[in-house]
Amino acid sequence: MNKLNKIHAGVLLTWAFLNITSGILCSVFAQEEMYFFSLMNLVWGVINSGVAAFVYWHTRKSAAKQKTIVKRMQLQQHVKKMLLLNSLLDVMYMLIGILLYKQQSAIELYQNLWEGFGIAVCMQGIFLLLQDSLFYYLHVGNGKKLAFTSLQHKSKTPSDSIYDYSSIFCSYSNTPRDGI
């Protein structure tokens, strides 16, 4: 899972770099709505690089706590919940982008600003939703591998029963969060 989180942060950091680079270059040469589109991409690039740095730092910090399979599964559930929350935010970004874009026809003043910002915010929402959905899917697959691994470890003694296995899957909600 740490590898997945690091890849997730790396993809986001690459996207941030592209946003910052294109934002700087295009804002120098662009006019009208493309100028504002470029500025918003620059802002999103800075925000995304901060988020990527936090994900990388948090992954390194929580890697030290992954001593048992149960802890790894708890962290897996935490990451899946965060990705679902992020996906909801991504949809909100797209809706806000559409609202900003529609604002250009409602308000005569700063039409290019509304249009450029709206397209940029909507584009960010689309990319982030695709990324978060992909990594959610990958984490679900990783969770299944963890569950299978935990079943293999539990089945080494012949006295283990199915009931004992279910405690692994339910234990994350019955224990303190341990700062995760």
Side-chain angles (χ1 to χ4, degrees):
M1 180 175 52
N2 284 331
K3 185 177 180 181
L4 273 179
N5 288 341
K6 287 178 183 175
I7 293 170
H8 192 168
V11 169
L12 187 59
L13 192 58
T14 302
W15 178 248
F17 175 75
L18 291 172
N19 281 184
I20 291 170
T21 304
S22 67
I24 291 171
L25 292 176
C26 292
S27 65
V28 171
F29 301 108
Q31 296 177 6
E32 299 179 357
E33 66 274 349
M34 283 306 294
Y35 173 77
F36 294 108
F37 174 81
S38 302
L39 286 180
M40 184 57 78
N41 277 340
L42 178 62
V43 170
W44 272 105
V46 172
I47 291 168
N48 288 337
S49 61
V51 171
F54 174 78
V55 167
Y56 187 78
W57 170 80
H58 187 66
T59 299
R60 287 186 54 126
K61 178 184 156 205
S62 48
K65 296 179 182 180
Q66 294 184 28
K67 296 185 183 246
T68 66
I69 291 177
V70 172
K71 290 279 186 193
R72 289 173 60 196
M73 291 179 76
Q74 289 171 348
L75 186 59
Q76 181 74 31
Q77 291 298 320
H78 171 72
V79 170
K80 284 174 33 182
K81 286 179 185 177
M82 292 307 299
L83 287 171
L84 285 176
L85 176 65
N86 280 351
S87 296
L88 178 64
L89 291 173
D90 300 338
V91 170
M92 288 175 50
Y93 297 148
M94 290 187 292
L95 293 174
I96 290 169
I98 291 168
L99 287 173
L100 289 172
Y101 183 80
K102 292 287 187 186
Q103 196 72 353
Q104 60 138 344
S105 61
I107 300 176
E108 296 292 321
L109 191 60
Y110 304 118
Q111 284 183 341
N112 294 333
L113 178 135
W114 296 117
E115 185 178 354
F117 281 5
I119 294 170
V121 171
C122 192
M123 183 184 77
Q124 289 295 322
I126 291 169
F127 174 81
L128 294 172
L129 180 62
L130 289 173
Q131 182 190 22
D132 289 338
S133 298
L134 172 67
F135 279 95
Y136 178 82
Y137 175 76
L138 293 173
H139 276 284
V140 167
N142 192 47
K144 289 177 184 176
K145 286 191 323 190
L146 278 175
F148 182 73
T149 302
S150 68
L151 290 175
Q152 285 181 326
H153 287 300
K154 288 289 265 181
S155 65
K156 289 184 180 179
T157 60
S159 64
D160 286 336
S161 66
I162 298 296
Y163 178 76
D164 292 328
Y165 298 145
S166 66
S167 66
I168 292 171
F169 299 107
C170 300
S171 65
Y172 72 89
S173 62
N174 297 331
T175 58
R177 303 234 359 127
D178 293 334
I180 297 177

